[in-house]
Amino acid sequence: MVADYQLDIIRHGFSCGNLYHMQHVIGEGPQDPYLSDFGILQVIDLRKRLLERGGEPPYDHILTSYLRRAIETALLLFAPRDLLLERYPELTGINFGDWPAPLPPITVIPYASEISADFDENRGIGMERLRQEFHAFDYFLDFQILPLIVTGK
């Protein structure tokens, strides 16, 4: 019997790096840029649409690359609302709902990047700096399990 699985691939929201590229400033964007305000609104809109499907949380596993904008996208989609408001107080007053049950932790995959690593924005800032920056989400972001599986340690 073959198990029935569904794989959803979600690209990160519009980043500050995308803004640089729109202005034709290639190669001069910030290293590992944050989501732009527009990107945050894109992700919140997707979160609302996923919640409107109803039922239980739709995922057994959530994986993200180690790029800041990808982690932010995953958090904005799946982290508990109260925790998000601590990091993004500007979202207060926006109705973006909450999941009816806890979702699995988000596993951050080290060294997973965009196809083009030619620009600093696609190289990331390193796992240790990410751990420090997202420390408020320690219980929800898993920086540990996958490296142990990959290295066998």
Side-chain angles (χ1 to χ4, degrees):
M1 181 175 198
V2 177
D4 186 23
Y5 292 99
Q6 176 177 328
L7 174 67
D8 289 339
I9 299 174
I10 299 171
R11 189 175 193 277
H12 61 77
F14 198 82
S15 74
C16 294
N18 294 128
L19 293 173
Y20 279 91
H21 294 304
M22 285 180 63
Q23 298 169 1
H24 307 290
V25 185
I26 305 297
E28 296 182 23
Q31 182 177 0
D32 200 8
Y34 292 95
L35 288 177
S36 66
D37 290 344
F38 178 67
I40 290 171
L41 292 176
Q42 285 178 311
V43 178
I44 292 298
D45 181 61
L46 177 58
R47 178 183 174 119
K48 288 194 289 191
R49 286 188 282 143
L50 288 172
L51 282 164
E52 286 169 3
R53 289 184 185 172
E56 292 299 309
Y59 302 103
D60 297 320
H61 303 283
I62 302 168
L63 306 174
T64 182
S65 79
Y66 74 112
L67 296 177
R68 183 186 282 135
R69 59 196 175 271
I71 293 172
E72 283 189 300
T73 296
L75 286 171
L76 285 164
L77 283 174
F78 303 115
R81 187 178 194 285
D82 59 339
L83 192 58
L84 287 176
L85 291 176
E86 290 177 28
R87 181 175 173 97
Y88 304 96
E90 66 272 19
L91 298 178
T92 301
I94 295 176
N95 180 18
F96 58 91
D98 213 347
W99 294 102
L103 287 157
I106 297 169
T107 301
V108 179
I109 304 172
Y111 312 113
S113 184
E114 293 192 12
I115 294 171
S116 168
D118 294 337
F119 303 114
D120 283 343
E121 68 190 58
N122 292 336
R123 292 196 185 117
I125 59 170
M127 295 295 277
E128 194 53 43
R129 280 188 57 198
L130 287 172
R131 281 190 190 101
Q132 292 170 2
E133 183 171 330
F134 292 100
H135 72 278
F137 294 92
D138 277 351
Y139 81 94
F140 201 70
L141 280 174
D142 180 0
F143 288 97
Q144 303 295 324
I145 290 178
L146 198 67
L148 297 175
I149 293 169
V150 172
T151 62
K153 296 180 181 178

